[in-house]
Amino acid sequence: MTVSPKVSVIGLGYIGLPTAALIASRGIGVHGVDISERIVANIAAGAIHIPEPDLDGLVQKVVSNGTLKVSTKPAPADVFMIAVPTPMDADKRPDLRSVFAAVESICDVLAPGNLVILESTCPIGTTEEVVRRISAKRPDLKTGPDGEGGKTLAVAYCPERVLPGRILAELIDNDRCIGGVTPDCAAKAQQFYKLFVRGACIVTSARAAEMVKLSENAFRDVNIAFANELSLVCDRFGINVWEVIELANRHPRVNILRPGPGVGGHCIAVDPWFIVDSAPDLAKLIRAGREVNDSKIEATFERAAELIEANGAGPIACLGLAFKANVDDLRESPALEVALKLAERYRARVRIVEPHIEELPATLAERGALLVDLETALRECSVAVVLVDHDAFKLTPLAERQHLAVLDTRGIWQDMRRS
Ligand code: SAJ
């Protein structure tokens, strides 16, 4: 690898675009590739198609100074980073078609000495399958121990682990786990990541790195499931779960996460299924965690309906639609699911407050729900269902909400004052 490699990033979505822009901002020439002409045209014009703090300015800068170029077709480079979606199919099995299509698309332009890195979340063994597919199309390229003066193809798996809303900072500061299909491959990828990562770049095998990524999100999911299960038990006994968690967390070795209306986003609610799919006979806890978290949507709807039925026939405030606090992303959002169920039953009585969007999703609007601001909802409604812990909601003074009957699924209005 030359000192300043030419980098190609395949897939310009939530991970690929920030990664491409960050690397380009270090003065390294980047070629970004996406199959969507719309996305490519947008980025070529210096604009972004995903909301993420500070990304717009960065992309604008690297596009206008020519360090980031984009197109729909791969071109020769030194390093290829693949960051495409790996969703789950209707049977909760990983859908790797985009990964294999991306691999296929670069085969013709690969050259000896290149480094191919897979960043997408993948089941165990995917990186080895990538090697097999490249070898089938390009038998001339050797992958493996680099005994030929850097002339073999290096393949590594390095999972992204950045948090939406903090992507640019975490791309730089998070530690990276870099799994090579051989130790040489890992070392080469490590050298590359050190060009733009400040966190530690730790090498391992490709299989271990695949498992590390899945373990991180499954760990969080199972821990949130524990909190969600506690909340269901506490509800049955009329105990305030937020108080229980606050007090339990005063134990020096206890750190219970926060219950909510379910778990959303494209990662935590999906990735644990990849482990379950690989080892269904073993991954019992991980499966149970998924099921608990998914069941929280219906449980939240039922509790909300009980509260609504007990509080007259007036308008109902639904606070938040996003999949988590302070983002505008509604993908796989449990809050949206609960709101849809409420709108299905209560139609035009439902008032949605979501300060991060301008327009309601059609599915909600069709059911008669209205998008209103927080002030209007607080003024007009006597019942509120808090579905997202946006800062804008947390700041509501007690005086403006004490008239409400509240189902607070995120624990933001607990007003527990204990000395
Ligand atoms: N949630 C709770 N209770 C909590 C914490 C979260 O209900 O105590 C819910 C959120 O409201 C949301 C969901 O979980 O619906 C997921 O939110 P999150 O902030 O935990 O995670 P994501 O999906 O935004 O990002 C995760 C991160 N993974 C971990 O924290 C282990 C991130 O580092 C990964 O890069 C990302 O998944 C990914 O792309 O895999």
Side-chain angles (χ1 to χ4, degrees):
M1 193 163 69
T2 50
V3 175
S4 183
K6 171 101 177 72
V7 178
S8 180
V9 177
I10 314 292
L12 297 172
Y14 278 81
I15 302 300
L17 180 57
T19 304
L22 177 71
I23 297 173
S25 75
R26 296 289 191 267
I28 298 169
V30 178
H31 177 218
V33 180
D34 201 286
I35 52 169
S36 160
E37 284 178 10
R38 184 184 54 83
I39 288 174
V40 166
N42 204 39
I43 299 170
I48 58 172
H49 59 290
I50 50 169
E52 180 61 31
D54 303 328
L55 184 62
D56 48 354
L58 191 69
V59 168
Q60 227 245 314
K61 190 172 132 202
V62 291
V63 168
S64 63
N65 71 18
T67 25
L68 174 61
K69 295 196 164 60
V70 285
S71 73
T72 54
K73 294 272 175 288
D78 300 307
V79 181
F80 292 86
M81 303 176 81
I82 298 174
V84 294
T86 49
M88 128 188 125
D89 68 15
D91 300 322
K92 302 194 184 305
R93 308 197 62 189
D95 174 354
L96 300 177
R97 281 175 298 179
S98 297
V99 169
F100 297 140
V103 168
E104 201 83 344
S105 78
I106 60 171
C107 274
D108 286 346
V109 295
L110 285 176
N114 280 175
L115 167 62
V116 176
I117 300 166
L118 180 58
E119 285 216 357
S120 311
T121 304
C122 288
I124 304 151
T126 307
T127 315
E128 288 164 4
E129 177 61 20
V130 165
V131 172
R132 275 192 291 277
R133 287 180 182 233
I134 294 174
S135 303
K137 269 202 110 177
R138 292 289 307 270
D140 57 309
L141 289 172
K142 278 194 207 142
T143 312
D146 198 352
E148 299 180 22
K151 291 297 175 200
T152 58
L153 179 76
V155 181
Y157 180 73
C158 179
E160 62 82 13
R161 36 163 62 150
V162 291
L163 196 71
R166 287 185 36 81
I167 292 181
L168 289 173
E170 292 205 359
L171 272 176
I172 299 169
D173 289 324
N174 287 1
D175 293 350
R176 299 302 292 255
C177 162
I178 300 164
V181 292
T182 67
D184 284 338
C185 295
K188 193 162 178 173
Q190 181 191 40
Q191 201 189 336
F192 168 66
Y193 277 98
K194 281 185 172 170
L195 295 174
F196 60 95
V197 171
R198 202 154 45 203
C201 296
I202 300 157
V203 292
T204 181
S205 66
R207 280 183 165 240
E210 288 160 349
M211 190 61 190
V212 166
K213 171 66 190 182
L214 299 176
S215 306
E216 290 166 0
N217 282 354
F219 171 86
R220 194 149 168 88
D221 195 48
V222 166
N223 279 278
I224 298 169
F226 178 79
N228 276 332
E229 193 164 284
L230 279 188
S231 82
L232 295 170
V233 174
C234 285
D235 286 351
R236 174 173 295 176
F237 292 103
I239 301 167
N240 182 327
V241 69
W242 303 103
E243 184 181 15
V244 169
I245 291 173
E246 193 205 313
L247 295 177
N249 282 351
R250 285 172 183 250
H251 184 290
R253 285 172 296 283
V254 173
N255 183 17
I256 302 171
L257 295 182
R258 300 178 69 79
V263 167
H266 264 22
C267 310
I268 294 192
V270 172
D271 303 351
W273 287 116
F274 291 13
I275 301 181
V276 175
D277 182 59
S278 297
D281 53 327
L282 299 174
K284 295 177 193 140
L285 177 65
I286 295 171
R287 172 195 282 276
R290 268 297 59 245
E291 286 168 353
V292 168
N293 286 335
D294 279 350
S295 74
K296 204 62 202 305
I297 294 172
E298 183 63 27
T300 303
F301 165 67
E302 280 166 14
R303 280 201 75 208
E306 262 172 47
L307 184 79
I308 292 164
E309 304 295 338
N311 282 278
I316 305 150
C318 270
L319 303 194
L321 289 181
F323 90 90
K324 66 174 187 174
N326 305 323
V327 300
D328 63 359
D329 194 342
L330 307 189
R331 296 176 308 163
E332 317 292 330
S333 170
L336 177 60
E337 291 297 317
V338 174
L340 278 168
K341 284 171 180 282
L342 290 172
E344 184 67 44
R345 183 173 295 179
Y346 300 106
R347 300 278 155 178
R349 286 175 65 193
V350 174
R351 307 282 187 275
I352 306 282
V353 184
E354 179 43 85
H356 299 273
I357 62 169
E358 307 275 314
E359 211 182 323
L360 278 186
T363 44
L364 266 176
E366 280 157 13
R367 289 168 169 82
L370 297 173
L371 184 65
V372 301
D373 61 24
L374 182 59
E375 206 187 313
T376 309
L378 294 173
R379 198 178 54 241
E380 289 182 354
C381 301
S382 53
V383 184
V385 183
V386 179
L387 295 170
V388 185
D389 43 347
H390 288 318
D391 288 347
F393 302 156
K394 285 187 190 163
L395 297 171
T396 311
L398 184 59
E400 288 173 29
R401 56 183 161 82
Q402 61 191 358
H403 64 287
L404 294 170
V406 177
L407 172 61
D408 181 4
T409 73
R410 297 283 187 173
I412 61 170
W413 287 349
Q414 294 304 307
D415 304 300
M416 277 184 294
R417 288 191 196 88
R418 193 179 294 106
S419 57

